[in-house]
Amino acid sequence: MDIKKGILLWLPLVPDIIGNELNLIVALFIGIAFGFILEQAGFSTSKKLVGLFYGYDFTVLRVFFTAGITAMIGVIAFGHFGILDLNLIYVNPTFIWSAVIGGIIMGLGFVIGGFCPGTSVCAAAIGKIDAMIFIAGSFLGVFLFAEGYPLFEEFYKSGFWGYPHMFETLGMSQAAFAVLLTVAAVVTFIATSLIEKE
Amino acid sequence: MKKNEYMNPYLAGFFLGLLLLVTIFITGRGLGASGAFKSGVIATVNSILPSHVADTRYYTEFFEEHKENPLKSWLVFEVIGVVIGAFASGLISNRLGFKLERSPSVTSRIRIISAIFGGLLFGFGSQLGRGCTSGAALSGMAVMSTGGIITMIAIFGGAYAFAYFFRKLWI
């Protein structure tokens, strides 16, 4: 913990307050909640997941963007009120080329396989055999990447931009970006519900 | 809750967002899934061919950061939790049962091949992109990471771009 401007900035709790062993127990409980929510939302069926890409089921979009916006606003608010030190939380690095190409390959895998890694585990847990097969395929994909790594390493590490936030990359304030993203999400929610009615 | 019915997507999203916020609050980073797959692959290869792991760069880079057993990791425990939580949800909502889910227009054989091949691509892409829909896209969006948000756009954009060519698998 460190004290700045009279405000107690704690977190993150790990590793200072929560030790490593307890952290794994925390991971287990967070995972239980994660799996429960994903399954309740309907992420345990490939038909529902790919429905987004064929315009017959927008569940993924609604759950995903509501979750992302909720967490983002929470992170900003916690930072604002000094509950969370935003300088200490993990921000994914930006390797521009591997982010774009890796993402496109994942998108292709999504429409062919019908799952992403988290949802495949969720679906396999309730007995979906196609999800179990998808997981086996994923292991194979990770293995192939690992074995072929010398071929991909240069590309994998190219285009490193550091650890920027999107609002910095776009040259706007954090608040403006948060409002813009929230408005974009709400507009998308309304638009998809109109599409659904037709 | 009535059996077989799914939760309202906005409510589920709100709960998922709160869980992600709590996760960031406690651990300093978000949720994930493909990282556990990576640990699983590395643990498997390491138990079968330890000498091969020792002289393969991707594995040695992993072990430089993870001194312990690759399965003793935060994401592996989280994914074990996902299995338990999803199973409990399926039990409560009466959705348990072995089933190879497929569109009526494709054979089981085609569904099996597409599941393997789709998984393979997703697994490969998640390594290249340093995370999947959970760790890169969703958690990246929560912390407003440029890389995470670009990966998110690429995943959904890529899926839309390729959807037409694979429509016969689903509709």
Side-chain angles (χ1 to χ4, degrees), chain A residues 50-78:
Chain A
V50 297
L52 172 61
F53 309 117
Y54 297 99
Y56 66 78
D57 192 319
F58 296 102
T59 305
V60 169
L61 180 120
R62 288 170 182 151
V63 175
F64 186 94
F65 282 105
T66 308
I69 297 285
T70 303
M72 179 190 71
I73 292 172
V75 165
I76 293 172
F78 277 19

Side-chain angles (χ1 to χ4, degrees), chain B:
Chain B
M1 181 176 286
K2 283 182 228 159
K3 284 182 175 181
N4 289 318
E5 270 190 14
Y6 295 116
M7 192 187 282
N8 175 291
Y10 300 112
L11 186 63
F14 178 68
F15 284 142
L16 183 56
L18 287 185
L19 177 70
L20 179 53
L21 179 62
V22 166
T23 307
I24 293 169
F25 184 72
I26 296 174
T27 70
R29 58 186 300 171
L31 300 163
S34 58
F37 286 20
K38 180 180 175 181
S39 294
V41 168
I42 292 175
T44 307
V45 178
N46 197 29
S47 65
I48 298 169
L49 274 173
S51 60
H52 175 66
V53 167
D55 57 29
T56 305
R57 223 171 124 67
Y58 199 61
Y59 303 129
T60 55
E61 282 188 7
F62 176 87
F63 281 108
E64 277 166 23
E65 289 176 25
H66 307 79
K67 307 288 181 198
E68 291 186 274
N69 182 339
L71 295 181
K72 200 183 167 190
S73 81
W74 200 91
L75 285 176
V76 169
F77 276 72
E78 183 229 65
V79 165
I80 292 168
V82 170
V83 174
I84 298 167
F87 182 85
S89 166
L91 186 66
I92 290 168
S93 297
N94 201 17
R95 283 192 284 265
L96 295 180
F98 288 106
K99 187 183 180 190
L100 181 78
E101 203 169 34
R102 62 183 171 85
S103 157
S105 60
V106 300
T107 61
S108 294
R109 184 186 149 91
I110 288 177
R111 180 65 188 118
I112 290 169
I113 293 168
S114 70
I116 290 180
F117 196 60
L120 192 151
L121 287 165
F122 219 122
F124 185 94
S126 70
Q127 298 310 296
L128 186 59
R130 294 176 174 78
C132 61
T133 336
S134 305
L138 183 62
S139 302
M141 182 177 170
V143 298
M144 293 166 284
S145 154
T146 300
I149 292 172
I150 287 172
T151 305
M152 174 187 86
I153 295 167
I155 293 173
F156 288 106
Y160 268 110
F162 293 117
Y164 177 81
F165 304 103
F166 298 99
R167 65 192 184 283
K168 288 191 175 142
L169 289 177
W170 306 107
I171 50 178

Side-chain angles (χ1 to χ4, degrees), chain A residues 82-116:
Chain A
I83 301 168
L84 184 62
D85 185 347
L86 300 189
N87 296 314
L88 294 180
I89 64 172
Y90 175 82
V91 176
N92 314 52
T94 302
F95 289 85
I96 186 67
W97 300 119
S98 58
V100 171
I101 303 300
I104 291 172
I105 294 171
M106 285 187 262
L108 182 61
F110 211 155
V111 283
I112 295 175
F115 293 105
C116 59

Side-chain angles (χ1 to χ4, degrees), chain A residues 1 3 6 24-25 33 37 48-49 54 63-64 72 83 91 94 120 132 140 153 172 176 180 182 184-185 192:
Chain A
M1 283 198 237
I3 312 232
L24 295 179
I25 306 298
I37 296 167
K48 211 167 175 62
L49 293 165
Y54 297 99
V63 175
F64 186 94
M72 179 190 71
I83 301 168
V91 176
T94 302
S120 68
M132 298 172 195
L140 200 57
E153 187 178 358
M172 55 172 68
L180 192 73
T182 308
T192 51

